Amino acid sequence: MSETRIAVGKPLPRIDGIDKVTGSAKYAADIKLKNMLHAGLLRSPHAHARVKHIDTAAAENLPGVRAVATIFEVPKVIEYWFSLRTEEKKKQMFLRDDVVRFIGDPVLALAADDQATVDKALALIKVEYEPLPALQDPFEAMAETEIKIHDRGNVAFKFEKQYGDIKEGFQRADIIIENTYRTSKQKHAALEPFGTCVAHYQPNGKLTVYSSTQLPHWSRHYLAGALDLPLNRVRVIKPHTGGSFGGRCGLIHGLEVMCSWLSRRTGRAVRMSFSREEDFMATETRHPMTIKMKTGVAKDGTLTANEVNIVSDVGGYGTHYIGVLADCLSTGVGLYKIPNYSFKAQAVFTNKSLCGALRGYGNPQMNFAQESQIDIMAEKLGMDPMELRLKNYRELGEIDPVLNQEIRSNGLKECLEKGAQSSGWKIKRRQKAGKGHKKRGIGLSIVLHGTGAGKALPDPAAATIMINADGSANLVTGAADEGQGNRTVLAQIAAETLGIEFERISVSETDTETTPLDCGTHGSRQAYGGGLAVQAAANEARQKLLAYAAKELNVIGDQLEINKGAVFEAAHPDNKILISDLMRKTQIEDMSLCEQVIGSAAGVAPAMPGYYGAVFAEVEVDTETGNVNVIKLTSAFDVGRAINPELVKGQIIGGGVMGIGFALTEDLLVENGRILNSGFTDYRLLRACDVPEIVPIIVESHEPTGPFGAKGVGEGCMVNVASAISNAICHATGVRLTDLRMTPEAILQGLKTNMIRSF
């Protein structure tokens, strides 16, 4: 293949851009089917209760009400695709009982001719509850033996891993630091609220569901299991999506299953749509964690031991709690070459809204603790925090002890060097905070995040390429695009591999009926895992195309190249044929053939390569008010190869904004199980005027297992922002904060404490 790239590495426009800017893109809320019913949920006012009786008579007698479905008959999906591996595990995914476990837990669903009738009917339903003691604190829930949130107990999952000799590691340490860190219940806060679905159970026994899920094919599995249908009777169509960040990693609690159940009962299409308040109070959030960390370091800066103990608050139901804790382990242990490491973790049920996947998947919590520890040790040693990290990070060619894989690409050093230069790290780190009440500081942090799930989870990808008679091509993929542009990237990979112009590649709709198995968009996997499948399918199509061209040009296939829609002999470029002419002959003119070139590929990625980043945060802290103003964020990330540089920069900038929110403003406040800030009025997202200058820096290390050297970026670029800001606040004020979010009150209290200690 020619080294002159036609698509990879170019800032090509998004394939869905025109649809979105013109308003022609259809989202789930835009789906309207003939004779469609509307539906709503009746939610529990109790954090923990048994539903004794439901009186639906008055509601069902209301004109226009068509069906009711209760929790007595409709199962809840309470696990994730890891449990699809066996029939025994699969049974654990579905829970049908009479208990509600958080305020907002669905009790029943009701379908009617219009939304006004739905609302009126729900108000007529009478429910008899037996209130049960509610457990709001995970430590209380762990200690409790009489009150069980689930039959199996309150500890959903626990595990521990040991590397080396932790006792010997601390004996070697000259400095030992111990701290407890706590992180918040962050909400995804996507522009499109979580919770819109249209389900249509047709007379032929086939269910079609329109849902903004990140995992169309796995959601198909979930629905088939919950409704006891064969997979070929369930179809999931994914419309355009207004952001996900992990919150649509499966089915929404109480949405698609209830909607489908009502549709089957009525024989009509049913639409259900959550309000923003319902989204905030009853869909998944980030897991709040308490992380106790004890770290040892020798006086020369060599890390000797790290002991971690995590308690993760799962909420009333667990979905991704195992994977989230596993990510804490892999990214924590994998980043630094600490020879002695003890890791213990527990996921605990509480009577609060459920937690699940959110951008970073446990890594932001773990990173906040670990990167804070590193900065504290650098201060104790009198060492530059950047130098301490460079001394201890796991380098190219080393073996990751968790994944047991060789590190084949690692641009972390370049990220640090370019980030330091761009941010003015060396000069600003030596500058004094200032004489007035506004103090400036700069902090840094680094991150390792995995690309995809490798073989840790069922993580399939598949693609089909079909070359048309005019030389254009169709890419068929089940990859879900949540707004980050990954389907554009897949089209670029197809174009580059085939040698066909990007504009002549079309991408299929995301529909389980017509696309091959793909495990969805999560874990920064699509450019890598999805890209490998597309590249392999395109390569197969390319080889078939070359075989036809070789006969036409009377040369051996390996002497041919393809570029910009033409096949030509490398040694004699004038001996060529346009792909359009070749395909027309193959498919139409030669009636003895009439063959279309098709390439297909399926499988799992060969590795789970880590991608790295360094974030430099410059802040100004008002010591009179405690207010923090982020002045500038410099984020350098090693992405292997930037297939579309502009999309990569967009991810880095967006991750920076979300990371600032995690650090300073975002937290769902829960009091006695009730969320107090269930909407954008009170849940404090960054406004446009709050966003500082964010400088995205792309580092390309070339991942040998990836398509054209690419790996991930989407999740990791928000992971270490909060820790960089925390380190910058400490540099400016001397206040070390260990709780997220970092409030003005906490800073003022820290300043007061430091002042008392100085006397």
Side-chain angles (χ1 to χ4, degrees):
M1 184 182 295
S2 171
E3 287 302 310
T4 303
R5 299 296 184 196
I6 64 170
V8 165
K10 296 182 179 294
L12 297 174
R14 294 166 57 116
I15 59 175
D16 58 358
I18 292 176
D19 289 339
K20 288 184 174 179
V21 300
T22 59
S24 62
K26 297 296 183 184
Y27 294 80
D30 297 318
I31 305 298
K32 294 178 176 60
L33 302 182
K34 185 179 179 180
N35 209 23
M36 186 173 70
L37 298 173
H38 295 260
L41 296 174
L42 182 69
R43 299 183 179 276
S44 168
H46 301 282
H48 196 196
R50 190 175 305 280
V51 180
K52 302 291 288 183
H53 178 70
I54 305 175
D55 183 354
T56 62
E60 291 185 275
N61 288 331
L62 190 69
V65 172
R66 303 301 173 185
V68 173
T70 72
I71 61 169
F72 300 143
E73 53 192 331
V74 182
K76 304 165 187 173
V77 179
I78 60 168
E79 295 284 345
Y80 70 132
W81 65 95
F82 190 69
S83 296
L84 290 172
R85 297 168 300 147
T86 67
E87 283 302 314
E88 183 179 356
K89 289 282 186 184
K90 185 178 174 182
K91 290 177 183 177
Q92 299 174 9
M93 295 188 68
F94 306 107
L95 174 66
R96 185 186 287 109
D97 66 9
D98 58 357
V99 177
V100 287
R101 295 173 172 86
F102 67 91
I103 293 174
D105 202 357
V107 175
L108 63 77
L110 181 147
D113 290 343
D114 54 64
Q115 193 61 49
T117 303
V118 170
D119 297 339
K120 186 176 180 180
L122 289 174
L124 296 174
I125 292 172
K126 298 177 181 179
V127 183
E128 180 186 345
Y129 295 96
E130 176 192 340
L132 300 172
L135 301 172
Q136 305 293 334
D137 180 82
F139 291 94
E140 179 188 355
M142 287 166 58
E144 180 60 57
T145 57
E146 296 298 320
I147 305 167
K148 292 184 177 181
I149 297 174
H150 287 272
D151 290 343
R152 55 178 160 149
N154 297 333
V155 176
F157 176 72
K158 63 180 178 180
F159 76 103
E160 58 182 270
K161 293 284 290 185
Q162 303 285 333
Y163 300 91
D165 186 332
I166 194 71
K167 184 177 179 181
E168 190 270 339
F170 282 120
Q171 287 174 346
R172 285 178 48 210
D174 295 304
I175 298 173
I176 296 175
I177 303 294
E178 292 186 70
N179 281 298
T180 299
Y181 300 88
R182 297 174 182 85
T183 63
S184 62
K185 190 174 174 67
Q186 187 183 24
K187 191 70 186 80
H188 307 77
L191 185 62
E192 178 192 8
F194 293 170
T196 297
C197 162
V198 176
H200 189 198
Y201 192 86
Q202 295 152 297
N204 62 6
K206 190 163 189 174
L207 173 67
T208 300
V209 174
Y210 299 84
S211 172
S212 299
T213 174
Q214 294 176 233
L215 317 173
H217 280 275
W218 288 154
S219 292
R220 178 186 181 219
H221 276 264
Y222 301 160
L223 286 165
L227 280 79
D228 195 25
L229 292 171
L231 283 168
N232 70 338
R233 292 288 178 180
V234 180
R235 179 184 187 184
V236 176
I237 299 173
K238 176 186 169 56
H240 287 278
T241 303
S244 290
F245 313 112
R248 307 181 205 264
C249 259
L251 302 181
I252 301 294
H253 191 69
L255 178 68
E256 292 97 341
V257 175
M258 282 287 198
C259 215
S260 300
W261 200 273
L262 290 168
S263 180
R264 181 161 65 175
R265 182 160 289 178
T266 61
R268 293 167 63 176
V270 176
R271 177 188 187 272
M272 190 186 298
S273 187
F274 292 178
S275 67
R276 180 68 69 181
E277 182 181 13
E278 287 180 292
D279 174 9
F280 271 67
M281 72 181 290
T283 67
E284 295 181 352
T285 69
R286 190 181 298 285
H287 293 81
M289 291 186 186
T290 299
I291 304 174
K292 294 183 179 180
M293 189 171 288
K294 177 182 177 182
T295 312
V297 63
K299 58 186 177 183
D300 67 349
T302 302
L303 298 174
T304 63
N306 206 25
E307 185 175 78
V308 180
N309 196 322
I310 298 177
V311 173
S312 177
D313 187 340
V314 169
Y317 301 91
T319 51
H320 292 260
Y321 54 91
I322 297 175
V324 164
L325 289 179
D327 202 46
C328 291
L329 170 70
S330 63
T331 55
V333 175
L335 181 53
Y336 292 107
K337 46 189 175 188
I338 307 175
N340 308 292
Y341 213 115
S342 170
F343 185 95
K344 298 179 182 178
Q346 297 185 79
V348 184
F349 291 119
T350 59
N351 292 119
K352 290 186 286 196
S353 64
L354 65 169
C355 301
L358 203 167
R359 192 179 198 170
Y361 208 68
N363 199 357
Q365 298 96 307
M366 181 68 180
N367 184 273
F368 174 62
Q370 190 158 282
E371 287 299 283
S372 296
Q373 292 283 94
I374 294 293
D375 248 48
I376 294 168
M377 286 183 289
E379 183 182 3
K380 295 285 186 184
L381 292 165
M383 193 172 184
D384 186 306
M386 180 170 158
E387 294 305 316
L388 182 59
R389 289 170 169 85
L390 284 170
K391 183 178 180 65
N392 288 282
Y393 82 99
R394 242 179 253 286
E395 299 181 64
L396 189 69
E398 295 189 35
I399 302 297
D400 184 306
V402 179
L403 303 176
N404 197 29
Q405 292 181 355
E406 180 185 352
I407 299 170
R408 301 179 181 93
S409 60
N410 188 337
L412 180 57
K413 184 177 181 181
E414 187 177 347
C415 290
L416 280 165
E417 290 172 345
K418 288 186 173 180
Q421 182 179 7
S422 177
S423 66
W425 166 262
K426 290 185 178 179
I427 295 173
K428 291 175 181 176
R429 190 68 186 182
R430 290 195 296 265
Q431 289 176 342
K432 293 183 179 180
K435 293 182 180 180
H437 62 90
K438 292 188 176 181
K439 309 290 185 183
R440 286 210 176 191
I442 189 169
L444 75 87
S445 62
I446 63 174
V447 65
L448 158 69
H449 198 76
T451 299
K455 297 178 178 64
L457 287 173
D459 202 43
T464 295
I465 298 281
M466 299 181 291
I467 303 180
N468 301 311
D470 64 354
S472 64
N474 293 77
L475 166 60
V476 181
T477 171
D481 194 327
E482 312 312 312
Q484 65 274 70
N486 55 40
R487 288 159 63 80
T488 301
V489 167
L490 296 181
Q492 288 181 255
I493 290 171
E496 192 67 56
T497 307
L498 291 168
I500 295 175
E501 296 93 332
F502 171 75
E503 296 78 11
R504 294 176 65 76
I505 306 289
S506 69
V507 185
S508 66
E509 299 299 317
T510 310
D511 181 344
T512 61
E513 185 85 346
T514 57
T515 61
L517 178 64
D518 183 280
C519 83
T521 296
H522 65 91
S524 309
R525 69 175 294 275
Q526 279 299 354
Y528 179 73
L532 285 172
V534 169
Q535 188 178 44
N539 265 324
E540 182 179 290
R542 176 188 173 87
Q543 293 309 312
K544 291 178 180 179
L545 193 155
L546 289 174
Y548 286 122
K551 292 180 182 179
E552 190 70 25
L553 298 176
N554 197 28
V555 296
I556 300 172
D558 62 7
Q559 296 176 356
L560 296 175
E561 291 189 7
I562 309 175
N563 194 30
K564 295 184 178 180
V567 186
F568 57 92
E569 186 179 359
H572 303 93
D574 290 338
N575 185 22
K576 63 182 180 180
I577 186 170
L578 293 176
I579 294 175
S580 56
D581 292 339
L582 179 64
M583 291 297 95
R584 186 179 64 254
K585 288 184 178 183
T586 303
Q587 295 180 34
I588 301 172
E589 290 182 6
D590 188 344
M591 290 182 287
S592 66
L593 283 177
C594 290
E595 293 182 9
Q596 183 176 24
V597 168
I598 300 174
S600 294
V604 296
M608 186 179 165
Y611 59 97
Y612 301 83
V615 171
F616 295 78
E618 186 177 356
V619 303
E620 182 179 76
V621 184
D622 189 326
T623 56
E624 292 183 350
T625 65
N627 186 62
V628 178
N629 184 23
V630 180
I631 304 298
K632 181 180 179 182
L633 211 63
T634 304
S635 299
F637 278 85
D638 158 31
V639 301
R641 177 68 187 272
I643 302 295
N644 189 314
E646 286 305 305
L647 292 181
V648 171
K649 289 177 183 177
Q651 286 295 294
I652 294 173
I653 293 170
V657 174
M658 183 174 273
I660 296 170
F662 184 49
L664 300 175
T665 65
E666 295 186 46
D667 185 10
L668 276 180
L669 304 176
V670 184
E671 185 177 284
N672 297 322
R674 189 174 301 279
I675 292 171
L676 303 180
N677 52 339
S678 56
F680 287 151
T681 301
D682 300 310
Y683 184 83
R684 182 70 164 80
L685 287 175
L686 265 65
R687 301 162 298 178
C689 61
D690 300 321
V691 177
E693 177 187 4
I694 300 177
V695 180
I697 298 173
I698 296 173
V699 170
E700 296 183 307
S701 62
H702 188 84
E703 168 55 44
T705 68
F708 301 101
K711 47 186 179 179
V713 70
E715 286 193 273
C717 53
M718 75 77 55
V719 165
N720 58 324
V721 174
S723 46
I725 292 172
S726 175
N727 292 337
I729 290 171
C730 187
H731 180 235
T733 65
V735 173
R736 172 57 61 183
L737 299 176
T738 56
D739 288 6
L740 292 179
R741 62 188 167 95
M742 296 177 285
T743 64
E745 293 83 358
I747 291 172
L748 292 175
Q749 182 59 49
L751 289 167
K752 182 179 178 180
T753 301
N754 286 352
M755 188 178 299
I756 292 172
R757 286 174 180 167
S758 66
F759 283 104

